[in-house]
Amino acid sequence: MYADRILKHVESAYPQQVEFRQAVAEMLHALSPLLRKEPKYEKYAILERLVEPDRQVFFKVVWADDKGKVQVNRGWRVQFNNALGPYKGGLRFHPSANASIIKFLGFEQIFKNALTTLNIGGAKGGSDFDPKGKSEAEIMRFCQAYMDELHRYIGALKDVPAGDIGVGAREIGYLFGRYKKLVDGFEGALTGKNLDWGGSLVRKEATGYGAVYFAQEMLGARKEGLEGKVCSVSGSGNVAIYTIEKLWQVGAIPVTVSDSKGMIYDKEGINLDLLKEIKEVRKGRIEDYAKNKKSAIYTPTKDYKAGTNGVWGVPCFAAFPSATQNELSELDAKTLLQNGCKCVVEGANMPSTAEAVQAFLKAKICYGPSKAANAGGVAVSGLEMAQNASLHTWSFEVVDQKLHTIMQDIFTNSSQTAAEFKDPTNLVLGANIAGFRKVAQAMIDQGY
Ligand code: NDP
């Protein structure tokens, strides 16, 4: 079969790219019923063309630390597909970043961006640079050196990077400042900018708010809701913080946060002001949360049960994995289900392993895959591009309303597509087919 042939090709061509192969396998598995019905995709070699990026650049980033010692990091930008619009996708600065992780993120981004209904293509980039423990001046110098290479490949109508793990408003500021100098022009070639110089209201909140809006849609379709419900959130970065903010706003009780060193369980609910103070102002670690809040228990990662993430051992009605890929194992999925979890909404990209996804689908709980559930971030980035192009700034309410509508539309499109293929609760199938159909048709329309 077509999908099997392509998967075999990817497995033999990229044996070491584990995350990329995982993302492709999930996608191809979900597309199988469509590919069986529609021979045109094979005729036009759409899968062959989608699993190879249009281009990928791999460069070195040379910068000097505060002691004057020269440091060298690796940088990537993978431009996957621009059938629907300029390439678009974040930059990740994290020591674990590698070609496989950047490629899986770029591949997913194609279909996620298609689901937003906006005209944006898919890309991703990053570096193995670790911003943790670096001085402000070191971060600035690194960002400048990174942009010295990247600026050749990006532009407001060409490729528009944004943030991701390790890249927030501060890093976008330094990247943008350097870009502006190098091209001698002020153009919206990056999103996630500061509000005073081209950023959009709600961009910071968008992914977290969007994930909660998506949860409300899934639950609403089953006549359920989040009010009064205990929720578990992993991570403590941008996505986690604004998921927690929106959960409180809709009357839910978020009780956990985590980072790579450990987790917090606060039975009274996570104090948002304290969390923001520690993470956004002090740029500290969540261990400090427990030092400032009596009801909180801190568990270091080394004390987690083997093969599990401690966050998912806390009984909850809804889980919001919002840290990183493969942070929720099959064992975690089983524990969540045994403890009565009815809803899993992926704020992070591909946070559940393939086996965990199968467990959620089998249990027929509300499961919102990342491609659909965390599309709010890139959607508001798309709205930032629209505001930059028109030299207008929209109010918080206007952008938030647009975000809300986009998330509702993504749910409707994904669930209607799932129903069309006789598996109405399977949003993995629905989101993948809906996103793929749009991109594939654009590729067919535009020729090869
Ligand atoms: P941040 O850098 O703001 O926060 C990342 C959080 O995840 C931190 O708490 C970090 O802990 C934790 N984390 C990162 N890597 C690991 C790891 N290997 N093990 C355990 N914990 C880890 O990133 P974001 O909040 O922006 O991104 C989180 C996820 O959401 C990512 O998967 C990203 O791709 C996805 N996403 C983000 C969007 C956005 O708009 N920002 C949009 C769509 C998806 P520590 O500080 O210890 O590293």
Side-chain angles (χ1 to χ4, degrees):
M1 206 186 103
Y2 185 33
D4 295 334
R5 181 162 61 76
I6 301 303
L7 190 56
K8 276 206 185 95
H9 156 72
V10 170
E11 280 167 357
S12 72
Y14 304 108
Q16 278 149 5
Q17 298 191 344
V18 182
E19 294 84 0
F20 177 59
R21 289 197 281 115
Q22 183 183 339
V24 172
E26 182 209 283
M27 175 88 196
L28 295 185
H29 182 70
L31 292 181
S32 295
L34 174 72
L35 298 173
R36 275 198 293 272
K37 248 175 72 177
E38 296 271 8
K40 68 178 175 184
Y41 300 118
E42 186 165 8
K43 178 179 164 199
Y44 290 106
I46 295 296
L47 294 181
E48 290 88 330
R49 290 157 64 190
L50 277 171
V51 297
E52 295 295 343
D54 289 351
R55 69 192 58 78
Q56 39 190 335
V57 283
F58 176 26
F59 47 89
K60 68 174 181 239
V61 186
V62 184
W63 57 285
D65 65 21
D66 286 346
K67 294 188 179 112
K69 188 169 180 318
V70 176
Q71 302 285 346
V72 182
N73 283 98
R74 299 187 293 165
W76 294 267
R77 184 72 183 166
V78 183
Q79 296 175 334
F80 245 104
N81 185 287
N82 66 353
L84 296 179
Y87 300 106
K88 178 102 198 80
L91 298 173
R92 175 175 293 193
F93 292 171
H94 195 272
S96 66
N98 59 37
S100 170
I101 289 177
I102 302 296
K103 263 180 80 180
F104 112 69
L105 290 163
F107 181 73
E108 296 264 297
Q109 200 80 45
I110 310 172
F111 312 102
K112 180 190 305 191
N113 293 3
L115 287 171
T116 65
T117 68
L118 303 172
N119 289 122
I120 38 183
K124 200 81 188 187
S127 170
D128 59 0
F129 172 76
D130 187 358
K132 280 193 214 87
K134 304 287 188 305
S135 72
E136 196 70 27
E138 287 175 327
I139 286 172
M140 184 178 76
R141 284 197 297 275
F142 173 80
C143 289
Q144 291 173 338
Y146 186 87
M147 188 51 83
D148 284 344
E149 293 302 320
L150 187 71
H151 79 277
R152 295 175 178 83
Y153 313 105
I154 65 171
L157 295 175
K158 193 173 174 184
D159 181 356
V160 186
D164 189 77
I165 292 179
V167 179
R170 173 181 62 176
E171 289 75 17
I172 292 290
Y174 294 141
L175 290 163
F176 184 76
R178 189 62 152 211
Y179 178 80
K180 193 167 60 76
K181 280 188 190 157
L182 289 166
V183 304
D184 193 21
F186 195 106
E187 54 161 307
L190 289 150
T191 57
K193 299 185 290 297
N194 190 301
L195 294 177
D196 291 332
W197 40 268
S200 174
L201 285 158
V202 198
R203 176 59 191 89
K204 184 175 66 173
E205 295 84 356
T207 310
Y209 279 24
V212 178
Y213 292 148
F214 197 83
Q216 287 180 308
E217 292 304 309
M218 284 196 297
L219 289 164
R222 298 185 186 194
K223 310 263 177 294
E224 294 205 67
L226 286 166
E227 205 175 335
K229 302 285 175 40
V230 169
C231 298
S232 287
V233 180
S234 65
S236 51
N238 173 266
V239 178
I241 291 172
Y242 292 94
T243 295
I244 288 172
E245 181 165 291
K246 185 52 80 179
L247 284 172
W248 279 121
Q249 285 175 14
V250 303
I253 309 156
V255 295
T256 59
V257 279
S258 68
D259 61 20
S260 51
K261 297 272 187 291
M263 65 161 282
I264 293 285
Y265 169 54
D266 186 344
K267 63 177 187 311
E268 289 179 356
I270 296 294
N271 182 316
L272 187 63
D273 291 339
L274 178 58
L275 179 65
K276 283 186 176 177
E277 164 68 23
I278 292 169
K279 294 299 300 178
E280 294 188 333
V281 182
R282 284 192 249 154
K283 307 230 177 275
R285 312 292 299 165
I286 50 132
E287 191 176 0
D288 293 348
Y289 182 98
K291 292 178 188 153
N292 290 278
K293 186 110 187 310
K294 274 210 180 104
S295 53
I297 301 167
Y298 177 72
T299 309
T301 312
K302 64 176 172 50
D303 293 348
Y304 294 172
K305 210 167 96 193
T308 70
N309 177 339
V311 173
W312 312 127
V314 174
C316 65
F317 171 79
F320 292 81
S322 308
T324 194
Q325 65 276 352
N326 292 327
E327 55 160 312
L328 198 161
S329 66
E330 184 178 20
L331 199 52
D332 290 321
K334 288 187 173 153
T335 307
L336 280 167
L337 293 169
Q338 269 159 19
N339 286 338
C341 177
K342 295 280 183 287
C343 178
V344 175
V345 188
E346 297 184 336
N349 282 309
M350 205 170 73
S352 310
T353 63
E355 298 76 22
V357 174
Q358 287 314 311
F360 296 141
L361 292 178
K362 196 165 157 222
K364 294 198 182 298
I365 61 163
C366 292
Y367 170 61
S370 54
K371 220 169 260 153
N374 75 22
V378 73
V380 174
S381 275
L383 300 179
E384 183 174 327
M385 288 163 70
Q387 291 171 81
N388 290 168
S390 66
L391 300 177
H392 280 100
T393 305
W394 302 333
S395 69
F396 191 96
E397 290 68 31
V398 166
V399 183
D400 192 30
Q401 185 50 54
K402 285 182 192 290
L403 167 66
H404 202 152
T405 305
I406 288 171
M407 297 314 295
Q408 287 171 329
D409 289 348
I410 294 175
F411 171 73
T412 305
N413 189 4
S414 304
S415 58
Q416 283 177 352
T417 308
E420 181 190 333
F421 286 87
K422 315 267 178 286
D423 199 353
T425 58
N426 186 343
L427 297 185
V428 175
L429 183 138
N432 277 300
I433 291 184
F436 170 83
R437 273 210 287 223
K438 191 169 172 197
V439 178
Q441 192 54 50
M443 290 168 72
I444 293 169
D445 293 345
Q446 293 167 20
Y448 53 84

